[in-house]
Amino acid sequence: MIYIGPSVLSADFSRLAEEIKDVEAKGADYIHLDLMDGHFVPNLTFGVPVIAKLRNCTTLPLDAHLMVEHPETYVDGLAKVGVTYVTVHQEACPHLDRLLQQIHEAGMKAGAALNPATPVATLQCVAPLLDMILIMSVNPGFGGQRFIPYTLAKIKEAGDLLAAVGNKTAVIEVDGGVNADTAAAVKAAGATFLVAGSAVFGAADRRAAIAALR
Ligand code: DX5
Ligand code: ZN
């Protein structure tokens, strides 16, 4: 089973509610929300108050990807809103173990994201705690970038790591440059959650775009 999560980063920000309803109607499985703070990444998007409003626009589960410094300060707010997955960047978390526990204690699923240059082995110690490994296949911060081919090997490594620690429930998500051309290789490498921003919101026929990814 492959799950498709359109990233609203490529949606029309002046019509976010309509855009989310549109991709829900056209076959999305969840909504991927990119929180950016202008510090961890050189771009700024939205925070918890906007997500709280968007929560009422869809029945789909929300998948929050935190590209921020001090991600621990967002956890309680995201829990109140009812977000399903909270994924934090390994590179932003000197106390990753503590933060994963904090996310679980708040009642949400916990993911760890890796920039292209960060090895999968950096998650070895916390792998049993994870509900998701997010392999970034572009450098985070912007939509519409080209898929970085060497990240395919990291998807496979992430699967091997989860298997090695006996974690049978965590999913592998891939984010960045996922489109009809790259999705097959991403799935073949072992990913089951595909994020797509420009390939869905930029498509003339979004239903066909989601079907093509699946
Ligand atoms: C990038 C974000 C992605 C982005 C992907 O930093 O994390 O979710 O929206 O955009 P595409 O699919 O256009 O590469
Ligand atoms: Zn993302």
Side-chain angles (χ1 to χ4, degrees):
M1 186 69 186
I2 296 292
Y3 296 91
I4 308 296
S7 162
V8 303
L9 187 63
S10 289
D12 179 346
F13 270 38
S14 71
R15 300 167 45 251
L16 273 181
E18 291 159 59
E19 292 278 78
I20 287 173
K21 287 182 174 130
D22 186 53
V23 293
E24 177 172 13
K26 288 174 179 159
D29 298 303
Y30 60 98
I31 299 295
H32 184 84
L33 298 165
D34 290 301
L35 284 80
M36 303 184 185
D37 65 353
H39 294 279
F40 180 68
V41 289
N43 196 4
L44 183 66
T45 54
F46 44 75
V48 174
V50 171
I51 296 175
K53 293 293 184 187
L54 297 177
R55 174 65 289 181
N56 303 322
C57 304
T58 176
T59 58
L60 292 180
L62 302 180
D63 172 37
H65 175 195
L66 275 58
M67 286 159 279
V68 299
E69 294 180 353
H70 302 295
E72 66 279 0
T73 60
Y74 297 73
V75 171
D76 288 348
L78 292 169
K80 282 199 188 84
V81 169
V83 164
T84 299
Y85 281 98
V86 175
T87 298
V88 297
H89 267 263
Q90 186 275 350
E91 304 86 358
C93 299
H95 304 293
L96 181 59
D97 178 280
R98 175 189 291 157
L99 181 49
L100 296 171
Q101 291 186 55
Q102 187 189 344
I103 294 167
H104 282 149
E105 281 162 14
M108 299 178 289
K109 294 185 178 182
L114 297 174
N115 285 334
T118 306
V120 171
T122 57
L123 297 181
Q124 188 163 1
C125 296
V126 296
L129 301 178
L130 294 171
D131 300 301
M132 172 189 287
I133 294 178
L134 167 50
I135 300 294
M136 288 304 302
S137 41
V138 300
N139 289 291
F142 302 95
Q145 302 181 79
R146 194 185 295 261
F147 187 90
I148 298 174
Y150 72 70
T151 61
L152 286 172
K154 293 178 65 184
I155 301 169
K156 167 85 166 52
E157 285 172 34
D160 291 346
L161 173 58
L162 292 170
V165 301
N167 184 335
K168 295 185 170 70
T169 53
V171 299
I172 300 175
E173 181 174 70
V174 176
D175 184 5
V178 176
N179 56 40
D181 295 329
T182 56
V186 167
K187 286 185 276 187
T192 52
F193 271 49
L194 308 189
V195 177
S198 50
V200 171
F201 283 102
D205 183 343
R206 291 172 175 174
R207 186 183 301 279
I210 290 170
L213 289 170
R214 208 186 291 284

